[in-house]
Amino acid sequence: MKKIAVMLGLAFILVIPSILFAGGSKDKQAKKEFTLYTWSEMFPQEILDGFEKETGIRINYVNFDYDETMLTKLETAGGGDYDLVIADDYIIETAVEKGLAQKLDKSKIKNYSGINPIYQKQFYDLRDEYTVPYGAGVQTIVYDPSTVKVKISGYADLWDPSLRNSIGTIENYRVINGMALKVLGKSYNTENIADIQAAGDRLTALAPNIRLIKDDNLQDEIISGEISAAVMYTSQVTMAKIENPNLEVVFPKEGIGFGIMAGFIPSKAPNAEAAYAFLNYIMDAQRGAECFEYLGYYSTWTSSDSYISPEYKDFLTLPAGFNLDMEMIQNISPRADEEHSKIWTAFKTAAGN
Amino acid sequence: MKNNGKLRLPPKAALFNAALPMFIFTLAFVLGPMIYMVVLSFMQREGNWGVAANFTLRNYARIGEPVYLATFAQSVRLAFTTTILTGALGYPFGYYMARLKPVWRGRVMLLIIIPFWTSSLMRLYGWIIMFRANGVLDSMLLKLGFASGPLRLLYTYPAVVTGMVYALIPFMIYSVYASAEKLDWALVEAARNLGASRFKAFATVSFPLTMPGLFSGIVLTFIPSMGLFFIADILGGNKVVLVGNVIQEQLMKAHDWPYAAALSVMLMAMTSLFIFLYRRLTRSGDLEGLV
């Protein structure tokens, strides 16, 4: 028994210091380095190289796979380590609540007025204090008219028996469950458990039509003919349409929800100045257009809209007469979220049987 | 270590000191996280991000919901299917590999090892190319007249099973090989000389002697197959839902860490139970071919 106590003591003596001093020392060169934290492939390489050349600041591009990973790391770093984070709307709401973002000094952002007002004053930043939007998407249905025999105009059409085993969807459970909620005429963000359960039953009825569920490169599956209809992200719609112009794109009539990506400067960013410099560099009207063409999401800066090439125009700027009356997917209570996970798991299981 | 009387074992204390660093390492990096996980599994979610240190059994109660029980059942089903197929294919392979000439043994061994030099994800994508609509297999079957249109082979349960068997079969081959190599073939000869047919000799002599290898192969395929959820993701189009998938989803997307911890604890308990049963059934303490 004594031996074990000694061992435990030793274990802690040896391990704890290494944890405490793992931070290492900050080098004085930090001012010349800018740490950008976002998904991979958010900016064209030419833009990143151009920024390094023009400013002499080295970009340290760190990427994450999920928003949740980002917040976990940012929390661990206490709002430090990163100079600019670009992530999804709902996670930014939590980051701001936790005090991990700093208020922007708009006088330092030259082209601030170029931001499209549609994407401002949103739930995650009601007073536009913390964020600059960078790309927006809507959940869209894409289908191949050569193989789909019905006319699809909304989510409800996806339940058609003729689409058996031929639909692909993204893996975002709030979006896909939300689809069923919309068919039932409910809000994306309802916290009424009975409503979520009803949406679950509705989704289970869709299971026989589901061929696959995946986030990465879903557009490849519709191009290769593995599936004939899909619910996908805007960037994937852009890629699919450019590859195969015959595909039909549908904004579901039940209503859609925007997802907005936005950049914020963490509360203890080591080099916030570099973040402003980077924002100024990319928000230049012409460079912004290059970024959005590469990204494949809707342009969130009006100033860049006119520079987007005709080939991309239709996908990256909002269609004329676009109905702005829409709802965004937001954070909901843990209890409602648990129910969402549950109906999602049931849906996936049903799709496999 | 041969103990022929001349060899003196080092004193106990020296052994103890030699093992100390490993012991500390294990304590800090294996036991520590495990304890953390168990403790976490009795905690509550707080808001949509945090964890509150209030004791609750709710996470375990939620595992009892039919939706989640079904994922445990699916995991076990897939593990059994994978293990049986791996055994059926890997046992003869390992057995005959041991009977090859030493030169060929080395060559075959190398062939089995080579795939491990590339990322397992890359190799899975290879299967996607095989199974894809209008892919390799599809066009072959079409040309041979076995199929009339594109087959939907990818994103199905059989595709997942194929991927699992592919990923785990080397372990089965090695364990069986390790057993068969040690086999004293003179015993088989003796059985044959005494009038046993080929099959009889195999069934009464070789098979029982290579059983330990088969059993350790079973453990080595069954246990990992409970956790290889990414294969189910990639080849099953996310429709074959295993406990691993649910754990990942709860951690990464729903951010419900306590529930993810509870699921992990249950999965570990289940796996331990299988190992315990295996030991009771086979009465073996050690695993053949495993150091």
Side-chain angles (χ1 to χ4, degrees):
Chain A
M1 207 57 231
K2 226 183 195 161
K3 244 181 209 159
I4 289 179
V6 169
M7 288 253 190
L8 273 173
L10 264 175
F12 284 112
I13 288 166
L14 288 173
V15 171
I16 299 287
S18 64
I19 292 170
L20 286 179
F21 301 110
S25 57
K26 292 256 187 300
D27 61 315
K28 286 278 174 281
Q29 286 300 304
K31 279 283 165 273
K32 281 282 157 211
E33 193 174 81
F34 160 61
T35 307
L36 171 65
Y37 193 30
T38 184
W39 294 277
S40 59
E41 295 172 26
M42 290 287 281
F43 295 96
Q45 195 57 45
E46 302 80 65
I47 295 281
L48 299 174
D49 295 341
F51 172 75
E52 287 190 334
K53 218 158 141 181
E54 185 169 301
T55 59
I57 300 170
R58 207 179 66 77
I59 299 178
N60 173 21
Y61 193 125
V62 186
N63 52 47
F64 54 80
D65 47 359
Y66 298 108
D67 289 299
E68 285 71 18
T69 315
M70 177 280 291
L71 192 53
T72 308
K73 286 215 172 133
L74 190 62
E75 216 176 0
T76 314
D81 288 359
Y82 308 107
D83 300 313
L84 181 69
V85 176
I86 301 174
D88 276 321
D89 43 36
Y90 72 95
I91 208 87
I92 294 177
E93 183 184 36
T94 311
V96 170
E97 274 170 18
K98 293 193 162 297
L100 294 167
Q102 57 173 273
K103 288 193 177 169
L104 295 175
D105 178 351
K106 290 173 198 167
S107 67
K108 290 183 179 164
I109 304 174
K110 288 198 284 277
N111 195 10
Y112 193 82
S113 58
I115 298 174
N116 188 335
I118 289 174
Y119 303 106
Q120 287 187 301
K121 307 242 180 311
Q122 296 293 354
F123 74 94
Y124 57 92
D125 190 8
L126 288 169
R127 288 197 294 276
D128 289 337
E129 292 169 307
Y130 297 96
T131 60
V132 171
Y134 177 65
V138 285
Q139 305 89 34
T140 323
I141 300 172
V142 177
Y143 71 96
D144 185 343
S146 68
T147 49
V148 173
K149 297 291 167 261
V150 282
K151 175 114 186 64
I152 297 177
S153 61
Y155 290 131
D157 299 322
L158 296 175
W159 271 257
D160 193 282
S162 71
L163 290 166
R164 197 179 164 78
N165 200 20
S166 56
I167 299 175
T169 76
I170 49 178
E171 265 180 85
N172 185 317
Y173 70 87
R174 288 289 307 279
V175 171
I176 304 301
N177 295 352
M179 201 164 84
L181 282 167
K182 282 290 169 205
V183 168
L184 296 171
K186 306 286 183 215
S187 148
Y188 276 130
N189 305 310
T190 178
E191 298 199 344
N192 177 331
I193 302 296
D195 283 353
I196 301 173
Q197 280 168 344
D201 293 340
R202 199 58 200 259
L203 265 188
T204 310
L206 180 68
N209 288 1
I210 299 293
R211 172 116 169 79
L212 65 107
I213 300 161
K214 74 171 199 176
D215 265 346
D216 295 337
N217 299 319
L218 185 59
Q219 75 281 358
D220 293 349
E221 309 284 341
I222 199 159
I223 293 162
S224 72
E226 195 77 60
I227 50 177
S228 28
V231 178
M232 50 169 98
Y233 300 113
T234 299
S235 58
Q236 299 174 333
V237 176
T238 306
M239 285 189 261
K241 271 294 269 192
I242 284 178
E243 193 75 30
N244 177 1
N246 301 327
L247 295 174
E248 293 279 349
V249 175
V250 182
F251 293 113
K253 64 171 187 286
E254 291 89 352
I256 44 182
F258 256 128
I260 300 175
M261 295 181 285
F264 68 91
I265 301 179
S267 54
K268 293 197 174 52
N271 194 357
E273 289 312 310
Y276 286 114
F278 185 75
L279 285 173
N280 282 326
Y281 187 81
I282 57 172
M283 286 173 79
D284 162 89
Q286 209 165 343
R287 286 190 209 116
E290 274 175 60
C291 287
F292 292 121
E293 283 184 15
Y294 174 84
L295 188 64
Y297 280 92
Y298 286 107
S299 155
T300 44
W301 307 329
T302 318
S303 52
S304 295
D305 287 358
S306 56
Y307 287 92
I308 290 171
S309 61
E311 179 191 4
Y312 284 93
K313 197 91 184 164
D314 291 351
F315 314 126
L316 304 185
T317 50
L318 290 177
F322 193 77
N323 177 14
L324 286 181
D325 176 30
M326 53 178 131
E327 196 186 15
M328 291 182 73
I329 292 179
Q330 303 179 25
N331 291 313
I332 48 176
S333 72
R335 180 70 195 85
D337 196 47
E338 269 173 31
E339 207 56 38
H340 267 285
S341 294
K342 190 165 135 187
I343 67 169
W344 173 244
T345 308
F347 165 63
K348 288 199 295 185
T349 307
N353 294 337
Chain B
M1 205 181 268
K2 277 208 305 229
N3 198 347
N4 52 9
K6 285 186 190 142
L7 203 71
R8 268 208 314 245
L9 283 169
K12 267 228 159 73
L15 274 175
F16 179 80
N17 287 338
L20 191 67
M22 282 305 293
F23 184 82
I24 290 168
F25 182 87
T26 310
L27 214 61
F29 295 103
V30 178
L31 200 62
M34 291 257 272
I35 292 170
Y36 171 73
M37 196 172 78
V38 174
V39 170
L40 190 64
S41 72
F42 291 104
M43 289 186 175
Q44 252 175 349
R45 235 180 128 166
E46 190 181 40
N48 50 30
W49 189 253
V51 173
N54 305 329
F55 179 84
T56 177
L57 288 172
R58 189 157 173 269
N59 298 317
Y60 287 95
R62 277 176 68 199
I63 296 176
E65 289 170 356
V67 176
Y68 295 116
L69 280 182
T71 64
F72 276 88
Q74 179 70 289
S75 298
V76 174
R77 178 184 157 209
L78 182 63
F80 269 106
T81 316
T82 306
T83 308
I84 289 165
L85 283 171
T86 317
L89 295 167
Y91 181 86
F93 194 110
Y95 184 83
Y96 283 109
M97 198 169 130
R99 305 210 53 177
L100 290 171
K101 291 197 182 78
V103 174
W104 279 103
R105 250 187 244 174
R107 286 173 189 168
V108 174
M109 187 81 92
L110 190 68
L111 284 177
I112 300 173
I113 290 176
I114 284 175
F116 282 102
W117 296 346
T118 46
S119 136
S120 56
L121 272 176
M122 294 294 259
R123 288 182 281 132
L124 277 184
Y125 282 109
W127 282 106
I128 291 190
I129 294 167
M130 286 287 289
F131 284 136
R132 212 166 42 196
N134 312 316
V136 180
L137 209 59
D138 232 17
S139 3
M140 258 175 30
L141 291 171
L142 271 175
K143 282 204 178 78
L144 296 169
F146 284 113
S148 49
L151 296 160
R152 303 213 143 164
L153 303 164
L154 192 56
Y155 308 122
T156 56
Y157 188 74
V160 175
V161 173
T162 309
M164 296 287 262
V165 171
Y166 166 76
L168 294 167
I169 202 161
F171 302 107
M172 178 64 82
I173 292 174
Y174 276 137
S175 333
V176 174
Y177 170 79
S179 251
E181 202 199 16
K182 279 192 273 189
L183 188 67
D184 186 352
W185 295 101
L187 294 171
V188 184
E189 303 251 325
R192 295 278 289 142
N193 290 341
L194 291 168
S197 64
R198 257 173 193 281
F199 177 76
K200 184 105 180 166
F202 171 79
T204 53
V205 182
S206 332
F207 187 67
L209 286 173
T210 49
M211 276 281 253
L214 179 64
F215 276 135
S216 56
I218 287 173
V219 170
L220 280 179
T221 47
F222 188 88
I223 306 297
S225 65
M226 298 280 274
L228 285 175
F229 62 91
F230 64 93
I231 294 183
D233 258 4
I234 294 176
L235 295 174
N238 259 310
K239 296 183 304 184
V240 177
V241 191
L242 308 175
V243 183
N245 303 83
V246 182
I247 293 172
Q248 191 209 19
E249 194 141 74
Q250 293 302 322
L251 271 176
M252 306 309 296
K253 297 196 179 130
H255 208 83
D256 189 346
W257 286 27
Y259 187 46
L263 284 163
S264 309
V265 170
M266 281 304 285
L267 187 60
M268 279 200 320
M270 202 162 85
T271 315
S272 311
L273 177 75
F274 281 122
I275 294 185
F276 170 77
L277 287 175
Y278 157 84
R279 284 192 159 178
R280 288 300 295 271
L281 281 170
T282 60
R283 292 188 208 82
S284 76
D286 58 337
L287 296 174
E288 183 83 42
L290 305 181
V291 184

